[in-house]
Amino acid sequence: MFTTQLTEAAQRIEAQFATVLAGLEQVPIVQGMGYATEGGKRLRGFLVLESARLHGIGPDRAIWPASAIEALHAYSLVHDDLPCMDDDDLRRGRPTVHVKWDDGTAVLVGDALHSLAFELVARPETGPAPVRADLALSLAQAAGARGMVLGQALDMAAETADAPLTLAQITALQAGKTGALIEWAACAGARLAEADTTPLSRYAQALGLAFQIADDILDVEGDATKAGKRLQKDAEAGKATFVSLLGLAAAKRRASELVEQACAALDPYGTGAETLREAAQFVIARDN
Amino acid sequence: MFTTQLTEAAQRIEAQFATVLAGLEQVPIVQGMGYATEGGKRLRGFLVLESARLHGIGPDRAIWPASAIEALHAYSLVHDDLPCMDDDDLRRGRPTVHVKWDDGTAVLVGDALHSLAFELVARPETGPAPVRADLALSLAQAAGARGMVLGQALDMAAETADAPLTLAQITALQAGKTGALIEWAACAGARLAEADTTPLSRYAQALGLAFQIADDILDVEGDATKAGKRLQKDAEAGKATFVSLLGLAAAKRRASELVEQACAALDPYGTGAETLREAAQFVIARDN
């Protein structure tokens, strides 16, 4: 069952961060690091643990890359929420790191979590050296200027652009901004097993786009209390979104088609991948 | 000859960044990434190349971790110069990234260079998988909350502390802030060769501390034009430094002793390590 597995993944990751951060208690910003990694859906960490299970890799190894991707995701949120970036005060229903502490602390907390992510994938517990080297390289590529940071840079550039983005441009932007880490997370299980990442990669590309369309729908239709963050931001800012470009009904249809594509990509895994299929359904049905 | 080797290292690293960044020409922040990696002494990159040479590893492999440590160092400067951190307008004789562009660009440029550093060490060109996994793990530890970010966090905490730091506290702060990356750079050659890092680690610990004492001396006695950055900052801010705690004459003596210790640590390498010994002398004689 997906919801059981998601809850279990969240608990494992929570416990892992508690252990990892306990070793850093002398560090002035460790509270901020802990705060930034608390809460959230843990979808990326779940994808690592579940894709690993699909390849016969247990949580004792998979918890390391699962925590790594959550640390990396948390760093990106802390920096993205800064006043000089998206300027958000609320995240996961609580004040953002720069509001609770200050901007300098938020920069450093993000930087510390960024390095921590690479420490976690490269640790001996993750597996044999070829696996660790491959996870570190692929994570760096997913996080960097061809992946997540590219998406963020395109997003920043769009704010001062003369015309709203086209559908192709928004799709490229989101493939970087949210897609790259989701794809890395889903492929991590295959990487841990030194197996072919193609089916999981296809699954994740459809899932990542569906995730973003769902986010745009949530931004229009959602309840800010449940979402735990400010909504209707894009409309206020006059930003093009999947909803503004496609319309609400077509955006919902497109998200459903993408979920079907994501599920079909898992055919090589047969019924073993049922939880990942349920995860794809969840992504477009969630309220946060 | 050290100066020849340093110049050659700088040229190799410059060329390597040109190649790496040419592959990112579609990225909106690529100009900022290039700008941030230009100039500088390239001491850390030199230490990688030279410690590699000492272990029979040529620049074709060593250039990858050499560029990685320079990318990581550049990211730390870009973030450290932000208004919410040290708030510096001048770096390497030019406007800092957030002055030339804006704060948001500076955050993203730093983040992109941070991930790039891990991509560069983990690339297949760096060597066999155990070497790449070891380089990634040790770099993450040197850069993170037990290394460089710890030093920066202690530095930030010191600004609001009631009393100036003690000598022991400043030594711990600097061991993180500048020492950790210098040590990683000097040990990288041994890691590339899967050899014992102990002698290079001892060399680098003495060198790193000498480097920081020299920085404090430069802050008092230096010429801002040659240094390419604002000086007398620490005295203005009423910050404790090695010079304020030891006095100028004793700080110079301490730096000289540390350089002798650094040179002695290289005894196992015999005359092969002469360039690294010259590098240690350079560190306390430099004017930038």
Side-chain angles (χ1 to χ4, degrees):
Chain A
M1 262 298 291
F2 166 68
T3 49
T4 318
Q5 297 295 98
L6 185 65
T7 306
E8 200 182 300
Q11 286 166 349
R12 277 189 204 280
I13 292 163
E14 206 84 35
Q16 181 74 358
F17 275 121
T19 307
V20 169
L21 297 177
L24 296 175
E25 57 181 16
Q26 308 298 327
V27 181
I29 56 161
V30 71
Q31 285 188 304
M33 292 173 72
Y35 184 83
T37 57
E38 281 161 22
K41 292 179 289 295
R42 308 296 195 186
L43 179 69
R44 292 158 191 79
F46 156 83
L47 288 172
V48 174
L49 288 161
E50 187 57 26
S51 66
R53 196 194 57 70
L54 203 55
H55 288 87
I57 309 275
D60 51 322
R61 281 181 59 199
I63 190 64
W64 297 95
S67 311
I69 194 68
E70 290 291 339
L72 200 88
H73 178 53
Y75 122 66
S76 77
L77 298 180
V78 172
H79 281 187
D80 214 36
D81 287 340
L82 280 167
C84 63
M85 305 281 289
D86 264 8
D87 193 14
D88 273 309
D89 293 348
L90 197 65
R91 170 70 67 183
R92 296 171 175 172
R94 304 192 304 177
T96 44
V97 173
H98 70 270
V99 169
K100 193 163 163 78
W101 284 275
D102 53 56
D103 293 8
T105 301
V107 170
L108 277 186
V109 162
D111 290 343
L113 292 170
H114 192 167
S115 281
L116 179 63
F118 288 96
E119 180 179 337
L120 294 171
V121 291
R123 278 178 73 129
E125 293 90 336
T126 302
V131 168
R132 292 152 56 208
D134 177 43
L135 286 170
L137 178 59
S138 55
L139 185 62
Q141 289 168 333
R146 264 189 223 86
M148 185 179 73
V149 169
L150 171 61
Q152 289 172 318
L154 291 171
D155 202 12
M156 199 160 69
E159 296 198 357
T160 54
D162 297 331
L165 298 186
T166 64
L167 194 59
Q169 286 172 321
I170 286 200
T171 306
L173 187 162
Q174 295 303 344
K177 193 165 175 178
T178 56
L181 293 200
I182 286 178
E183 186 173 353
W184 186 88
C187 292
R191 290 185 189 282
L192 282 164
E194 301 181 68
D196 181 17
T197 56
T198 312
L200 287 168
S201 178
R202 284 192 190 132
Y203 163 77
Q205 282 172 17
L207 180 73
L209 191 50
F211 184 91
Q212 190 53 49
I213 297 175
D215 238 29
D216 286 353
I217 295 169
L218 198 61
D219 194 58
V220 174
E221 286 197 324
D223 175 332
T225 309
K226 284 184 189 161
K229 61 183 177 184
R230 192 153 56 88
L231 296 179
Q232 277 91 40
K233 274 173 55 186
D234 294 335
E236 280 170 25
K239 269 187 177 177
T241 68
F242 289 106
V243 173
S244 75
L245 289 166
L246 295 172
L248 196 53
K252 287 182 179 177
R253 273 200 307 278
R254 182 82 189 108
S256 290
E257 285 163 14
L258 284 162
V259 166
E260 276 174 47
Q261 279 176 35
C263 292
L266 298 175
D267 284 352
Y269 291 106
T271 54
E274 213 43 59
T275 310
L276 287 179
R277 291 190 190 95
E278 287 176 42
Q281 298 292 349
F282 162 79
V283 152
I284 60 165
R286 70 204 157 90
D287 58 9
N288 67 53
Chain B
M1 263 297 292
F2 166 67
T3 49
T4 318
Q5 298 295 97
L6 185 64
T7 306
E8 202 182 299
Q11 287 165 349
R12 278 188 202 281
I13 291 163
E14 207 84 36
Q16 180 74 359
F17 275 120
T19 308
V20 168
L21 297 178
L24 297 175
E25 57 183 15
Q26 308 300 329
V27 182
I29 57 160
V30 71
Q31 285 189 304
M33 292 172 73
Y35 184 83
T37 57
E38 280 161 23
K41 293 179 287 296
R42 309 296 195 183
L43 179 68
R44 293 159 191 78
F46 157 83
L47 289 171
V48 173
L49 289 161
E50 187 57 25
S51 66
R53 197 195 54 73
L54 203 55
H55 289 87
I57 309 276
D60 51 322
R61 281 181 58 199
I63 190 65
W64 296 96
S67 310
I69 195 69
E70 291 291 340
L72 200 88
H73 178 51
Y75 122 65
S76 77
L77 297 180
V78 173
H79 281 187
D80 214 36
D81 288 340
L82 280 167
C84 64
M85 304 281 290
D86 264 10
D87 193 13
D88 274 308
D89 294 347
L90 198 64
R91 169 70 66 184
R92 295 170 175 173
R94 303 192 303 179
T96 44
V97 174
H98 69 270
V99 169
K100 194 164 164 74
W101 285 273
D102 53 56
D103 293 7
T105 302
V107 169
L108 277 186
V109 162
D111 290 343
L113 291 170
H114 192 168
S115 281
L116 179 62
F118 288 96
E119 180 179 339
L120 294 171
V121 292
R123 277 177 73 127
E125 294 90 336
T126 302
V131 168
R132 291 152 56 209
D134 178 43
L135 286 170
L137 177 59
S138 55
L139 186 61
Q141 289 168 332
R146 265 189 221 85
M148 185 178 72
V149 169
L150 171 61
Q152 289 172 318
L154 291 171
D155 202 12
M156 199 160 69
E159 295 197 358
T160 53
D162 296 333
L165 298 186
T166 63
L167 194 59
Q169 286 171 321
I170 287 199
T171 306
L173 187 161
Q174 295 302 344
K177 192 164 177 177
T178 57
L181 293 200
I182 287 179
E183 186 173 351
W184 186 87
C187 292
R191 292 187 189 278
L192 282 164
E194 301 183 67
D196 180 18
T197 57
T198 312
L200 286 167
S201 178
R202 282 190 190 133
Y203 163 79
Q205 283 173 16
L207 181 74
L209 190 50
F211 184 92
Q212 190 53 48
I213 296 175
D215 239 29
D216 287 353
I217 295 169
L218 198 61
D219 194 59
V220 173
E221 285 195 325
D223 176 330
T225 309
K226 286 184 186 162
K229 60 183 177 184
R230 192 153 56 91
L231 297 178
Q232 277 92 40
K233 273 173 54 188
D234 295 334
E236 279 169 26
K239 268 188 179 177
T241 69
F242 289 106
V243 172
S244 76
L245 289 166
L246 295 171
L248 196 52
K252 287 183 180 179
R253 273 201 306 278
R254 182 81 188 106
S256 290
E257 286 164 15
L258 285 163
V259 166
E260 278 175 47
Q261 280 176 33
C263 292
L266 297 175
D267 284 352
Y269 291 106
T271 54
E274 212 45 57
T275 309
L276 287 179
R277 291 190 190 94
E278 287 176 43
Q281 298 292 347
F282 161 81
V283 152
I284 60 165
R286 70 203 157 92
D287 58 10
N288 68 55

